[in-house]
Amino acid sequence: QVQLVESGGGLVQAGGSLRLSCAASGRTFSSYSRGWFRQAPGKEREFVSGITWSGGNTRYADSVKGRFTISRDNAKNVVSLQMNNLKPEDTAVYYCAASGVGGVVTTTPGSYGYWGQGTQVTVSS
């Protein structure tokens, strides 16, 4: 089975940057579409960004466009999320996900079959 582990979360001040990474373990392959979701206390899990297996197509939530950049290294089965100009409203647990479908990026949690345990991102004002 595919296992995903996030890293890179932490506490930063507004305007700062963090880079999240998600590494796969176990038997897997690089052709999964990959995504990032986040969930704040009392809120539903929401889509943040996603990338196709080729890296040719990316999607971003409107709230993070221009600030976050997703990338992947298929040889290493790693996907990253560079987060710049962080805002307090970005505070959440960030989850890495893999869909098993390489050709498209979807925005619904139910479309992703594999999930990491999450990493906390806290942005102070």
Side-chain angles (χ1 to χ4, degrees):
Q1 60 180 352
V2 176
Q3 299 181 60
L4 305 174
V5 180
E6 303 94 336
S7 63
L11 173 64
V12 298
Q13 291 186 298
S17 298
L18 286 172
R19 185 176 178 86
L20 306 183
S21 294
C22 177
S25 63
R27 293 295 185 183
T28 187
F29 54 94
S30 63
S31 60
Y32 291 106
S33 289
R34 305 285 289 273
W36 289 95
F37 291 76
R38 65 188 183 188
Q39 188 167 20
K43 296 184 178 180
E44 297 292 324
R45 188 170 300 187
E46 66 174 350
F47 173 80
V48 176
S49 185
I51 187 168
T52 58
W53 66 269
S54 68
N57 290 300
T58 59
R59 295 183 69 175
Y60 299 91
D62 289 342
S63 59
V64 306
K65 285 181 179 178
R67 300 189 297 119
F68 292 9
T69 303
I70 191 170
S71 61
R72 68 184 298 166
D73 183 340
N74 288 345
K76 298 179 180 179
N77 289 318
V78 170
V79 64
S80 298
L81 185 69
Q82 179 66 44
M83 306 186 294
N84 297 326
N85 191 24
L86 284 160
K87 303 176 180 180
E89 52 263 44
D90 295 318
T91 295
V93 176
Y94 283 69
Y95 296 91
C96 174
S99 72
V101 179
V104 297
V105 175
T106 58
T107 62
T108 58
S111 298
Y112 292 80
Y114 302 95
W115 294 87
Q117 293 298 307
T119 185
Q120 178 70 47
V121 172
T122 303
V123 184
S124 64
S125 60

